């Protein structure tokens, strides 16, 4: 007997954001991990890692083959909620270079449907340095719009207004002797790092050494993802792993 | 059966007889019995107390057989080649210890027998040599057997084995290691059809289970009585142990497990004996008691500490000092439960409740390793309920009652690991493998459907969505046989073999303190103190103090996979304890305690303080009945409490607490929380539960109905962090996620796939996946103790007695004192985040 019989309902998203100012532009942070830019009618998601399951399976590690479907479902939910005229996927959209080639036909159809009637930009990432095979959308290394620049990996000495992913930010807070760890947005008001949107993606604690140099020490904030809301904390309140 | 009836040559060959005589011994009856079992080509289970010469008895048939068979000369018929006898024990250290102990008879008799060990510590050149030139007797562990069976050369080495000796069998069979070993034995029997087994065990409740485990079963015989059994040899007698319960003039604590009140008494006892083993139930209790004893150690007696988290080097030093007779006492946990000979222990002190009659018997057996003299033991209850539990254990010991846990149903994650191992050795026919596996007792009821699903899991992950066929790890070779698709999967298997999945551990290193005013960075290179669970360290912030390795330490920092600590000057640690190794109260002892409580005539055996306490309970409330459930309700500090006394152990009570709060929530009783200990459960909320019951708005029979094990359980489990932890263990054993290997953990956490994420995805998209089923079975048997909760609910049906009180009852005090010590789970995480975030808002606005 297994207790896991009840199917869980698909999560519906409300187009309600936590608004903040990023290098002078008003952007909204959504609890799905997406960033909404109302002035440009643009939705930004990062690190989808489509076909991560099959990428592992090729090496004999049989992860559940449902990651692409689940990530797509989540993406469709957010796109339904905001109905953006432009979508930017901030890189590592596919877990490996052949990922888009392996994408099963059903999901290819579903993705193509999502792309209909909007501008779609694939930013290249370290996992997917080339354009996806037989999919709509433009492929670019980075894109500049108004006061913001979108690229996969944060650059040293970038000008204010950089929006990037790659690091899979996560934060941990501690209270009553218990700690809670969640994916999060990380920002100092000049640069914004998005959490990974894909469902089988882990996180890297923002206090890890890999983050040094990105933000002034302890001079940044995180927005931890919760159920229907975000939880803001200044870096000084966080604990390391 | 007796040696007298044997026809033919004497069971004990002359050169053995002479050796026994030269030492002033004569062969004991059970040793001769085992020789006769061997002559009849049968398998046997030997049940004997410690000190009965169990190990020598187990090896005698092999030694005599080897003595009669000359070593191989090229071309000689009937001579030896390959391993003759395998000895398998749960502990590496035990294998090494046995190798040393066998030297005396082998040299004394002048036998030409090569004995070698093979454990995780054996260097690879030696392992290679063993495959080419096998020893006559190989001493090893269940994991090494699995590894040898997963490789064609290893299988060749094990072909023709005549005897397998399984030591500490009672300990092995109750874990997944026992499942793995059972599958290994089934494979060994196919390689060597003449194979016999000898199981060595302490006294157990159901000897037939072990006897069945030792021999080949014939398929799905539904009747337990009709199982094939090995012969049984028991060593009766031995002097009855001399057990007493510590009588103290101090006030007996209401709750807690530190036994602080008894420390001066324990010290006095240690002073009066040559060498004492002081057993406690958890590592934190060991640390606390060790500290307390040294506080009163005016004579500077050599008292040492031994538990599973301490650095191995440190443990070996303590063991060596013990063997040399240099210590007066060791404070220890179950890390010393199993069979290594500790020399001259003349007293066992068991602090806290024994939790099980058989567990107590085994601990007491550590004292006085000569079976003809009585072992001496003193029980030290740490609180009032434990007084009753000790009393029950004492009665059980006198009556020779046993309460070892029943045999397991073989786990599917272990089966998956085994199937991959089989494929690593070469192609296999699924039909033949299925038949072979069902000869193992834990898997005799395995269905073909579950077997096929497990094979599919090994091949492609076993998902309904068949997307991974082209990456399959097992491929059909055209003759219906399955073979490994790529040799690299064998490599994967070898890194993953075994069933022990440790909680992630961090090394603890002693450094200089940062708090001493020097503004230098924390220095490297300090002494390694041991290992500690990652989740415990998660709770600490720099500056927190805690007890570890017998010292009060200050948490400094985490560097890679090491925890830096310094010596703290604090008198008492700030963070009280870390758990590890808590055993639930055995069903048998629980029933005894319930019976004792219900029968005031039996209270005469209890100390005055406990009697007074129970009398007060009878006066102010009621006594729990032996076969029913007492439920008390009372208000306290603006909240309303419901306390019940099932005595079914903390795990079952915790699960019950989760389910009751869900139900009360639905009934509008606005529950706020619950707390459980081994004896009782307290639930509290905003609504007057007593009034609700009195007015008929809340039915206790309905509240405690067995149907809570249906939907409520499903819904709660879905979010349970216990379930996620269990899933992680199953996923590692089954090979879905890779084991964390020391030194590799930190290679980018964002890249590794966490078990929690996989769990969420599987639950949502394939809720009947075989790994979720394995997780469920595991949790039901283990962490959640659902089977025991089910028995409890059935037992009390229609026998619930409610007492409405205006204040807390005497019996409720211990569990009420535990409130506030429990961690938060599930939905409470969101609340915690919200509160922490709101704090910030107040700070900013204030």
């Amino acid at each position: 007997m297994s207790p896991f019989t009840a199917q869980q309902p698909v999560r519906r998203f409300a187009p309600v954001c936590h608004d903040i100012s990023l290098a002078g532009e008003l952007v909204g942070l959504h609890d799905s991990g997406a960033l909404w830019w109302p002035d440009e009618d643009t939705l930004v998601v990062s690190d989808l890692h489509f076909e991560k399951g099959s990428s592992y399976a090729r090496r004999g590690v049989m992860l559940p083959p449902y990651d692409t479907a689940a990530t797509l479902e989540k993406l469709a939910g957010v796109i339904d909620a905001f109905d953006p005229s432009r979508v930017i996927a901030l890189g590592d959209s596919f877990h490996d270079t052949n990922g888009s080639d392996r994408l099963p036909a059903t999901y290819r159809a579903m993705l193509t449907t999502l792309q209909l009637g909007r501008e779609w930009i694939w930013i290249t990432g370290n996992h997917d340095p080339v354009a996806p095979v037989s999919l709509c959308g433009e492929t670019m290394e980075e894109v500049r719009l108004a006061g913001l620049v979108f690229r996969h990996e944060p650059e040293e000495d970038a000008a204010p207004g950089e929006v990037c992913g790659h690091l899979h930010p996560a934060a941990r807070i501690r209270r009553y002797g218990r700690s809670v760890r969640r994916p999060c947005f990380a920002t100092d008001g000049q640069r914004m790092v998005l959490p990974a949107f894909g469902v089988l993606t882990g996180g890297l604690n923002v206090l890890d050494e890999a983050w040094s140099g990105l933000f002034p020490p302890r001079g940044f904030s995180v927005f931890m993802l919760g159920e229907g809301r975000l939880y803001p904390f200044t870096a000084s309140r966080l604990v390391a792993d | 059966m007796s040696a007298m009836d044997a026809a033919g040559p004497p069971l004990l060959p002359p050169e053995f007889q002479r050796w026994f005589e030269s030492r002033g011994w004569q062969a004991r009856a059970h040793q001769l019995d085992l020789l006769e079992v061997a002559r009849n080509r049968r398998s046997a289970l030997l049940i004997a107390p410690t000190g009965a010469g169990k190990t020598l008895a187990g090896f005698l048939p092999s030694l005599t057989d080897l003595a009669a068979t000359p070593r191989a000369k090229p071309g000689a018929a009937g001579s030896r080649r390959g391993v003759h006898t395998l000895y398998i024990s749960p502990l590496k250290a035990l294998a090494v210890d046995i190798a040393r102990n066998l030297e005396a008879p082998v040299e004394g008799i002048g036998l030409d027998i090569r004995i070698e060990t093979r454990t995780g510590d054996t260097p690879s050149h030696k392992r290679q040599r063993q495959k080419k030139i096998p020893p006559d007797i190989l001493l090893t562990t269940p994991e090494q057997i699995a590894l040898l069976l997963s490789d064609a050369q290893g299988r060749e080495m094990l072909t023709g084995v005549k005897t397998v000796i399984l030591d500490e069998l009672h300990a092995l069979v109750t874990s997944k290691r026992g499942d793995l070993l059972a599958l290994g034995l089934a494979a060994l029997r196919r390689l060597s059809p003449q194979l016999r087994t000898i199981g060595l065990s302490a006294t157990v409740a159901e000897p037939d289970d072990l006897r069945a485990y030792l021999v080949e079963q014939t398929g799905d015989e539904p009747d337990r009585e009709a199982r094939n059994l090995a012969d049984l040899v028991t060593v009766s007698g031995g002097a009855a142990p001399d057990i007493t319960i510590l009588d103290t003039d101090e006030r007996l604590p209401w709750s807690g497990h530190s036994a602080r009140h008894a420390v001066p008494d324990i010290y006095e006892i240690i002073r009066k004996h040559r060498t004492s083993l002081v057993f406690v139930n958890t590592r934190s209790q060991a640390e606390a008691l060790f500290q307390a004893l040294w506080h009163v150690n005016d004579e500077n007696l050599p008292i040492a500490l031994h538990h599973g988290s301490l650095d191995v080097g440190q443990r070996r030093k303590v063991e060596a000092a013990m063997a040399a007779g240099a210590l007066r006492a060791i404070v220890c946990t179950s890390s010393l439960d199993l069979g290594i000979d500790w020399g001259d222990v003349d007293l066992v002190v068991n602090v806290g409740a024994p939790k099980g009659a058989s567990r107590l018997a085994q601990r007491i057996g550590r004292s006085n390793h000569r079976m003809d003299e009585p072992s001496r033991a003193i029980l030290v209850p740490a609180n009032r309920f434990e007084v009753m539990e000790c009393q029950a254990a004492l009665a059980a010991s006198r009556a020779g009652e046993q309460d070892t846990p029943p045999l397991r149903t073989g786990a599917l994650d272990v089966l998956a690991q085994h199937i991959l191992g089989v494929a690593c050795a070469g192609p296999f026919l699924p039909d033949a493998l299925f038949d072979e596996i069902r000869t193992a007792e834990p898997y005799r009821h395995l269905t073909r459907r579950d077997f096929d699903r497990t094979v599919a899991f090994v091949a492609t992950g076993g998902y309904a969505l068949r997307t991974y066929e082209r990456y399959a790890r097992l491929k059909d070779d055209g003759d219906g046989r399955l073979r490994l698709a790529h040799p690299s999967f064998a490599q994967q298997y070898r890194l993953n073999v075994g069933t022990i999945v440790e909680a992630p551990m961090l090394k603890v290193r002693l450094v200089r303190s940062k708090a001493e005013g020097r503004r230098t960075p924390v220095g490297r290179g300090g002494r390694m103190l041991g290992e500690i669970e990652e989740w415990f360290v998660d709770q600490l912030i720099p500056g927190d103090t805690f007890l570890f390795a017998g010292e009060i330490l200050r948490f400094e920092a985490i560097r890679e996979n090491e925890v830096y600590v310094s010596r703290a000057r604090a008198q008492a640690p700030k963070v009280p304890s870390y758990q590890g190794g808590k055993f639930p109260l055995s069903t048998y002892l629980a029933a005894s305690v319930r019976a004792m409580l219900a029968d005031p005539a039996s209270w005469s055996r209890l100390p005055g303080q406990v009697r007074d306490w129970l009398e007060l309970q009878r006066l102010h409330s009621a006594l729990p009945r032996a076969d029913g459930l007492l439920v008390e309700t009372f208000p306290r500090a603006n909240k309303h409490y419901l306390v019940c006394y099932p005595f079914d152990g903390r795990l079952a009570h915790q699960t019950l607490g989760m389910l009751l709060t869900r139900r009360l929530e639905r009934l509008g009783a606005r529950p706020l929380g619950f707390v459980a200990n081994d004896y009782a459960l307290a639930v509290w909320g905003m609504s007057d539960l007593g009034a609700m019951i009195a007015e008929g708005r809340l039915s206790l029979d309905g509240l405690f109905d067995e149907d809570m094990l249906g939907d409520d359980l499903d819904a709660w489990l879905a979010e349970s962090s216990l379930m996620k932890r269990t899933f992680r263990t199953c996923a590692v054993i089954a090979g879905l996620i890779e084991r964390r290997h020391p030194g590799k953990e930190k290679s980018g956490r964002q890249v590794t796939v966490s078990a929690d994420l996989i769990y969420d995805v599987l639950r949502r998209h394939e809720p009947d996946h075989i790994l979720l089923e394995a997780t469920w079975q595991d949790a039901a048997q283990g962490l959640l103790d659902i089977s025991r909760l089910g028995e409890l609910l059935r037992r009390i049906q229609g026998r619930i007695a409610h007492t409405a009180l205006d204040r807390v009852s005497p019996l409720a005090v211990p569990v009420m004192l535990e409130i506030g010590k429990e961690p938060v789970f599930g939905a409470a995480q969101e609340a915690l985040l919200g509160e922490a975030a709101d704090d910030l808002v107040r700070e900013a606005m204030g």
Side-chain angles (χ1 to χ4, degrees):
Chain A
M1 177 182 58
S2 156
F4 306 97
T5 40
Q7 277 282 334
Q8 294 183 321
V10 176
R11 203 169 138 202
R12 297 234 159 264
F13 292 109
V16 178
C17 287
H18 194 108
D19 292 340
I20 65 160
S21 163
L22 178 65
E25 297 285 345
L26 181 83
V27 294
L29 310 182
H30 191 248
D31 65 296
S32 65
L35 180 141
W36 169 239
W37 190 7
D39 286 355
E40 293 285 330
D41 202 14
T42 296
L43 186 77
V44 189
V45 291
S46 188
D47 297 271
L48 299 166
H49 286 266
F50 283 134
E51 291 300 297
K52 181 168 183 173
S54 62
S55 186
Y56 270 72
R58 291 188 308 172
R59 296 191 285 113
V61 179
M62 304 296 174
L63 295 184
Y66 304 106
D67 56 315
T68 298
T71 303
L72 258 177
E73 225 171 77
K74 192 172 146 196
L75 184 59
V78 188
I79 288 179
D80 276 357
F82 289 96
D83 194 19
S85 55
R86 184 191 291 123
V87 175
I88 301 176
L90 262 190
D92 286 1
S93 304
F94 294 89
H95 191 71
D96 59 73
T97 334
N98 299 318
S100 57
D101 202 21
R102 285 198 310 274
L103 197 66
T106 336
Y107 304 146
R108 188 177 299 275
M110 194 171 161
L111 187 54
T112 307
T113 313
L114 280 181
Q115 292 179 320
L116 283 179
R118 25 190 145 255
E119 185 187 348
W120 194 287
I121 299 171
W122 300 106
I123 303 279
T124 53
N126 50 316
H127 280 261
D128 54 352
V130 295
V133 182
S134 21
L135 278 173
C136 308
E138 245 183 301
T139 303
M140 308 179 157
E141 278 187 25
E142 59 178 55
V143 62
R144 280 171 201 280
L145 286 169
L148 300 181
V149 58
F150 299 85
R151 57 172 73 98
H152 181 61
E153 288 188 46
E155 283 185 359
E156 265 181 62
D157 308 317
E162 182 184 58
V163 179
C164 54
H166 180 62
L167 288 164
H168 299 211
R172 186 190 288 280
I173 70 130
R174 176 178 185 268
R175 196 177 163 83
Y176 303 138
R178 301 290 299 169
S179 74
V180 177
R181 190 182 195 271
R182 289 282 172 86
C184 65
F185 292 90
T187 183
D188 60 355
Q190 305 298 314
R191 168 186 273 149
M192 168 67 68
V193 187
L194 265 60
F197 194 88
V199 295
L200 274 189
T201 51
L204 179 68
N205 195 304
V206 291
L207 300 187
D208 193 279
E209 276 164 31
W211 288 83
S212 60
L214 273 192
F215 297 122
R218 304 258 154 181
F220 64 99
S221 302
V222 300
F223 296 83
M224 293 168 74
L225 306 191
E227 303 278 334
R229 68 169 282 196
L230 294 169
Y231 300 101
F233 295 101
T234 56
S236 57
R237 308 275 299 205
L238 305 176
V239 292
D241 281 342
Chain B
M1 141 182 43
S2 127
M4 293 306 190
D5 308 330
L11 286 167
L12 199 63
E15 67 267 36
F16 285 74
Q17 184 69 43
R18 279 196 296 276
W19 178 75
F20 270 91
E21 281 163 7
S22 74
R23 316 210 44 165
W25 297 348
Q26 64 178 43
R28 291 179 171 170
H30 64 274
Q31 293 172 331
L32 296 174
D33 283 348
L34 277 184
L35 283 169
E36 192 178 340
V37 169
R39 178 174 287 177
N40 297 334
R41 308 207 166 280
R42 300 269 302 163
S43 294
L45 172 69
L46 172 64
I47 291 185
T50 30
K54 198 159 42 176
T55 316
L56 183 57
F59 277 100
L60 261 185
S62 296
L63 295 180
T64 56
D65 192 39
L66 279 164
T69 322
R71 191 177 287 289
K73 292 193 182 66
S79 59
R80 285 186 246 158
R81 60 166 196 94
V83 176
H84 177 283
T85 293
L86 281 175
Y87 163 89
I88 303 168
S89 92
L91 292 179
K92 277 190 283 195
L94 202 51
V96 176
D97 202 45
I98 296 290
R100 212 173 35 230
N101 291 345
L102 280 179
E103 276 169 19
V106 167
E107 278 173 23
I109 300 167
L111 299 172
D112 175 24
I113 295 176
R114 273 220 336 278
I115 301 171
E116 289 181 12
T117 58
R118 184 186 183 98
T119 70
D121 299 337
T122 307
S124 66
H125 69 268
K126 189 174 168 194
R127 294 181 198 212
Q128 281 309 317
R129 185 187 33 77
Q130 283 175 340
K131 282 182 185 168
K132 291 198 190 86
I133 315 167
D136 301 307
I137 297 178
L138 185 68
L139 313 170
T140 188
T141 59
E143 289 74 19
Q144 292 300 319
I145 296 293
L147 277 172
L148 282 169
L149 286 171
S150 74
D151 156 279
Q153 260 190 314
R155 285 198 167 226
E156 197 178 319
M157 169 183 174
L158 295 180
T159 301
V161 166
K162 296 192 173 52
T163 308
V164 179
I165 301 169
L166 302 130
D167 205 352
E168 303 281 351
L169 188 59
H170 59 281
L172 264 175
V173 296
T174 54
S175 67
K176 287 190 179 178
R177 292 181 93 193
D179 295 350
L180 185 68
L181 183 57
L183 293 167
L185 276 180
L188 282 172
R189 277 194 289 261
R190 284 287 184 274
L191 290 178
S192 316
Q194 80 281 29
L195 181 109
R196 307 183 317 106
T197 52
I198 296 177
L200 310 178
S201 168
T203 316
V204 291
E206 296 285 350
D208 282 3
D209 283 349
L210 268 54
R211 295 168 72 191
Y213 181 96
L214 286 169
V215 295
E216 178 165 345
Q217 297 302 315
T218 40
D220 56 347
E221 179 58 64
D223 189 1
R224 282 167 54 85
E225 305 302 313
R227 287 180 296 182
N228 296 331
L229 300 180
D231 291 350
L232 177 65
V233 177
T234 48
V235 180
S236 54
D242 168 15
I243 313 173
T244 49
I245 297 179
L246 179 75
D247 199 10
T248 179
D249 299 328
E250 301 293 325
R251 209 178 129 72
L252 269 168
W254 291 95
S255 74
H257 306 281
S258 69
R260 204 163 275 278
H261 70 284
V263 168
D265 290 325
I266 298 173
Y267 184 70
E268 202 48 37
I269 293 165
I270 291 173
R271 237 171 44 83
K272 285 181 185 152
H273 287 81
R274 199 167 55 243
T275 312
S276 306
L277 282 183
V278 184
F279 278 107
V280 296
N281 285 333
T282 69
R283 280 173 270 165
S284 60
Q285 284 163 30
E287 294 280 356
L289 183 62
F290 176 75
Q291 284 285 322
L293 282 172
W294 272 93
H295 270 291
V296 297
N297 190 359
D298 298 332
E299 297 179 31
N300 272 318
L301 300 180
I303 299 174
L305 176 67
H306 192 287
H307 64 67
S309 303
L310 292 179
D311 182 60
V312 180
Q314 179 62 25
R315 272 185 275 163
R316 293 296 102 85
K317 272 186 217 158
V318 170
E319 288 159 15
M322 188 71 181
L327 296 177
R328 291 291 295 279
I330 299 186
V331 179
C332 54
T333 61
S334 53
S335 60
L336 279 187
D337 268 359
L338 289 176
I340 298 169
D341 198 334
W342 294 114
D344 254 353
V345 176
D346 58 343
L347 178 74
V348 166
V349 181
N350 193 83
V351 178
K355 297 299 162 204
S358 297
R359 172 177 302 280
L360 179 65
Q362 280 155 31
R363 285 186 167 178
I364 291 173
R366 312 292 338 131
S367 113
N368 217 337
H369 250 197
R370 286 175 295 269
M371 69 176 280
D372 309 324
E373 293 170 29
S375 308
R376 217 172 114 54
I378 295 179
L379 310 184
V380 183
N383 61 49
R384 290 160 185 235
F385 270 120
E386 287 188 352
V387 171
M388 285 184 276
E389 198 180 319
C390 286
Q391 194 63 250
L394 187 64
S397 167
R398 287 193 179 131
E401 298 286 356
Q402 300 294 334
D403 55 4
T404 43
L407 218 54
R408 300 163 42 85
T409 302
L412 294 173
D413 51 350
V414 179
L415 181 62
Q417 187 182 102
H418 179 71
I419 291 172
L420 183 59
V422 169
C424 291
F428 68 89
L429 276 169
D431 288 350
L433 183 60
F434 176 63
D435 290 343
E436 173 188 309
I437 283 166
R438 297 219 311 171
T439 65
E441 156 36 90
Y443 292 94
R444 72 197 173 99
H445 290 311
L446 179 73
T447 61
R448 183 59 197 237
R449 181 173 168 270
D450 279 351
F451 172 76
D452 288 339
R453 287 169 74 206
T454 310
V455 171
F457 169 83
V458 174
T460 63
Y463 302 105
L465 208 64
R466 299 183 170 275
T467 39
Y468 293 162
E469 301 288 342
R470 62 191 139 150
Y471 312 123
R473 295 194 290 186
L474 303 181
K475 296 227 155 117
D476 198 312
D477 69 352
D479 301 327
R481 297 190 307 173
L482 292 175
R483 62 168 178 81
L484 212 59
H486 194 276
S488 67
F489 301 139
Q491 195 58 36
Q492 253 175 33
Y493 169 82
R494 288 198 181 103
L495 288 172
N496 197 50
V497 79
T499 60
I500 300 170
V501 179
E502 302 284 356
M505 298 290 266
L506 297 170
K507 291 200 160 59
V508 182
R509 191 186 282 282
L510 190 64
V511 298
R512 267 180 321 171
S513 171
K514 272 200 288 198
E516 289 174 0
R518 272 163 293 169
R519 290 212 160 265
T520 50
V522 179
R524 277 196 169 273
R527 192 157 59 88
M528 202 65 86
L529 297 177
E531 292 190 324
I532 197 164
E533 282 92 345
E534 190 176 299
W535 66 260
F536 177 73
V537 179
D538 270 356
Q539 312 180 43
L540 302 177
I541 50 172
D544 279 355
T545 52
F546 63 101
L547 274 182
F548 186 77
E551 300 187 57
I552 297 178
L553 301 173
R554 189 182 126 86
F555 174 56
E556 297 284 350
I558 296 185
R559 293 279 184 280
E560 279 152 34
N561 58 346
E562 291 186 0
V563 184
Y564 284 9
V565 298
S566 61
R567 286 210 174 83
R569 304 246 165 85
Q571 278 297 305
K574 182 174 156 200
V575 179
S577 69
Y578 62 103
Q579 299 184 329
K582 268 196 182 174
F583 315 103
L585 179 65
S586 83
T587 316
Y588 176 83
L589 281 192
S592 306
V593 172
R594 273 199 305 271
M596 193 182 304
L597 258 176
D599 174 21
S602 70
W603 296 356
S604 57
R605 282 178 284 149
L606 300 173
Q609 295 181 55
V610 177
R611 271 203 312 271
D612 293 348
W613 173 51
L614 297 180
E615 282 297 352
L616 279 174
Q617 169 70 16
R618 178 153 67 160
L619 202 66
H620 290 303
S621 175
L623 293 172
R625 280 171 39 193
D627 59 349
L629 180 72
L630 172 66
V631 174
E632 295 172 335
T633 51
F634 53 85
R636 188 167 186 276
N638 298 326
K639 290 194 221 38
H640 293 273
Y641 289 81
L642 181 154
V643 180
C644 61
Y645 306 89
F647 295 90
D648 270 303
R650 197 174 45 93
L651 296 177
H653 292 172
Q654 231 155 25
T655 306
L656 179 63
M658 293 281 184
L659 299 176
L660 283 186
T661 39
R662 289 186 79 90
R663 295 202 144 181
L664 289 169
E665 182 94 57
R666 263 207 315 276
L667 293 166
R670 291 182 293 163
L672 291 172
F674 72 89
V675 67
N677 63 16
D678 259 350
Y679 316 103
L681 167 72
V683 185
W684 60 92
M686 301 302 289
S687 302
D688 186 345
L689 298 166
M692 287 176 76
I693 297 168
E695 292 159 16
R697 284 185 290 138
L698 177 64
S699 148
L700 282 177
D701 282 327
L703 187 63
F704 285 88
D705 194 289
E706 209 184 332
D707 66 10
M708 75 167 74
L709 295 180
D711 295 351
D712 282 319
L713 183 63
D714 295 0
W716 167 58
L717 277 184
E719 292 307 319
S720 166
S721 64
L722 293 173
M723 207 65 177
K724 287 189 175 172
R725 228 183 295 162
T726 309
F727 176 77
R728 179 176 168 269
T729 307
C730 290
V732 169
I733 292 175
L736 180 65
I737 51 176
E738 285 154 343
R739 227 169 244 280
R740 305 217 312 188
H741 287 283
K744 284 190 185 167
E745 293 94 6
K746 293 285 167 166
S747 57
R749 275 197 179 182
Q750 79 270 39
V751 182
T752 57
V753 185
S754 99
D756 286 6
L757 294 172
I758 299 176
Y759 175 82
D760 288 339
V761 165
L762 262 189
R763 233 183 65 219
R764 174 131 171 241
H765 294 272
E766 196 162 340
D768 47 8
H769 189 260
I770 189 150
L771 213 53
L772 290 179
E773 200 169 303
T775 305
W776 165 248
Q777 283 172 6
D778 229 25
Q781 289 190 36
L783 281 171
L784 308 171
D785 225 347
I786 289 165
S787 50
R788 198 151 161 200
L789 177 56
E791 283 167 34
L792 151 69
L793 296 175
R794 277 190 293 280
R795 186 180 72 229
I796 61 168
Q797 243 166 51
R799 298 198 187 88
I800 302 175
H802 173 229
T803 313
L805 304 170
D806 59 0
R807 69 181 66 174
V808 56
S809 77
L811 213 53
V813 171
V815 72
M816 295 286 289
L817 286 173
E818 306 248 355
I819 291 172
K821 293 184 188 166
E822 293 281 303
V824 293
F825 293 112
Q829 284 196 359
E830 285 289 321
L832 190 142
L833 275 172
E835 263 187 61
D838 294 345
D839 264 10
L840 193 68
V841 173
R842 267 199 300 280
E843 244 175 72
M845 298 314 217

